[in-house]
Amino acid sequence: MTSACFDHLTPEQLRELAAQLMQRVASLDQQVHYHKTRSDQLAHEIAVLKRHRFARRSEQLGAAQIGLLDDLLDTDIAAIEAELEELAPAPAAAEPRRQPRRTALPPQFPRTLIHHEPGNTQCACGCRLKRIGEDVSEKLDYTPGVFTVERHVRGKWVCERCETLTQAPVPAQVIDKGLPTAGLLAQVMVAKFADHLPLYRQERIFARSGLAIPRSTLAQWVGRCGVQLQPLVDALRDIVLEQNVVHADETPVQMLAPGMKKTQRAYVWAYVPSPFAGLRAVVYDFSPSRAGE
């Protein structure tokens, strides 16, 4: 489009056109990010499958090592799928989505009733609201050795005159429409990363408490928690790197790059403030090379 095409446009029209172009560029960037993330997911799965199938006998993994690798793979895939859900463009028309049928929680677990009701049961038209029903959802909680169930009851209130329906909103959850409470997710994350308990061991521990949560489900929870916690990690990293003195150290690791038949050296960097600083934190950063940036 030449400059002559814009001669007849007013400044307001030019600004509106520029805003439309910027919006389209942002949409295209989001689509590119979505497809790149999807490509990384597929490349990651293919690389792991090739490792299982074509590795030399001396490099093939034992049953315990394969279990750990499966945990990492499921966790990474769950994290990538969570990012894909956030990046995926909204559908043009809402299509009914078939939800998988969830197994009911064991009735012997203690249950805590948590009621969510509107703060005001008077309609805007002046009438009193009438309770006509409720929605009930259950969240699985855990304290070491004991499962409990939070039973959330959200009453439905309606005005008989104007038929206005009022209901308390659904409380925010770490995993939207997920089964676990924040306490159960914290237990899994702390046990895995602080107590070094692999997910297959946590599966056995939970089974002894009365409910065997599949390892694949635990891995999905860990992956989705990682995505939710990423802004906190980024903020902590910025704070650490703003310190006057930062100690850094690297740990070489072998990385199987997609499309390559052999591994290459990558690095996990640890950043730590000075012992004399008021901040006590450690941030780990993965890098495929030792490049200056």
Side-chain angles (χ1 to χ4, degrees), residues 110-128:
R111 277 164 166 75
T112 302
L113 283 179
I114 303 176
H115 289 271
H116 307 275
E117 304 293 351
N120 184 9
T121 58
Q122 184 171 357
C123 184
C125 70
C127 293
R128 300 292 296 180

Side-chain angles (χ1 to χ4, degrees), residues 67 71 142 147 188 191 197-219:
D71 289 350
Y142 181 81
F147 277 115
V188 173
L197 279 175
L199 296 182
Y200 74 89
R201 291 185 181 175
Q202 294 193 50
E203 181 182 12
R204 296 174 186 172
I205 293 174
F206 289 145
R208 290 198 300 268
S209 299
L211 182 63
I213 304 176
R215 183 179 13 176
S216 58
T217 300
L218 297 175

Side-chain angles (χ1 to χ4, degrees), residues 51-251:
R51 175 73 171 177
H52 276 296
R53 177 66 179 85
F54 300 110
R56 295 195 303 268
R57 292 294 177 182
S58 59
E59 294 181 353
Q60 289 181 349
L61 305 177
Q65 292 173 311
I66 290 177
L68 292 175
L69 186 60
D70 288 339
D71 289 350
L72 294 175
L73 177 61
D74 291 340
T75 299
D76 290 344
I77 290 176
I80 293 174
E81 288 176 346
E83 290 191 51
L84 288 174
E85 289 179 6
E86 295 180 0
L87 294 171
E95 298 180 357
R97 188 176 180 182
R98 186 177 180 182
Q99 297 291 338
R101 185 174 181 83
R102 178 178 293 166
T103 303
L105 295 175
Q108 67 269 23
F109 288 168
R111 277 164 166 75
T112 302
L113 283 179
I114 303 176
H115 289 271
H116 307 275
E117 304 293 351
N120 184 9
T121 58
Q122 184 171 357
C123 184
C125 70
C127 293
R128 300 292 296 180
L129 299 176
K130 178 182 178 181
R131 202 174 194 274
I132 61 171
E134 61 189 22
D135 288 331
V136 179
S137 61
E138 292 189 336
K139 302 291 181 181
L140 184 64
D141 200 8
Y142 181 81
T143 55
V146 179
F147 277 115
T148 58
V149 177
E150 290 184 356
R151 189 173 178 85
H152 294 260
V153 180
R154 299 168 53 239
K156 296 180 179 180
W157 297 77
V158 69
C159 175
E160 293 183 333
R161 177 187 296 179
C162 63
E163 299 183 352
T164 299
L165 179 66
T166 301
Q167 191 174 31
V170 178
Q173 301 291 330
V174 179
I175 300 178
D176 188 29
K177 298 181 181 179
L179 179 69
T181 64
L184 177 55
L185 293 173
Q187 169 67 29
V188 173
M189 297 288 284
V190 170
K192 177 175 174 57
F193 295 107
D195 299 334
H196 307 291
L197 279 175
L199 296 182
Y200 74 89
R201 291 185 181 175
Q202 294 193 50
E203 181 182 12
R204 296 174 186 172
I205 293 174
F206 289 145
R208 290 198 300 268
S209 299
L211 182 63
I213 304 176
R215 183 179 13 176
S216 58
T217 300
L218 297 175
Q220 291 176 6
W221 293 355
V222 172
R224 290 186 172 270
C225 284
V227 173
Q228 296 292 340
L229 291 172
Q230 190 60 47
L232 181 61
V233 175
D234 295 339
L236 182 61
R237 182 178 185 273
D238 293 339
I239 294 174
V240 169
L241 296 182
E242 288 174 356
Q243 301 298 309
N244 293 330
V245 177
V246 178
H247 298 283
D249 191 21
E250 63 179 12
T251 299

Side-chain angles (χ1 to χ4, degrees), residues 27-45:
S27 175
L28 291 174
D29 288 343
Q30 185 179 16
Q31 293 179 23
V32 170
H33 190 185
Y34 172 82
H35 291 297
K36 183 180 182 301
T37 305
R38 176 63 174 165
S39 175
D40 291 343
Q41 179 193 20
L42 296 175
H44 181 64
E45 294 177 3

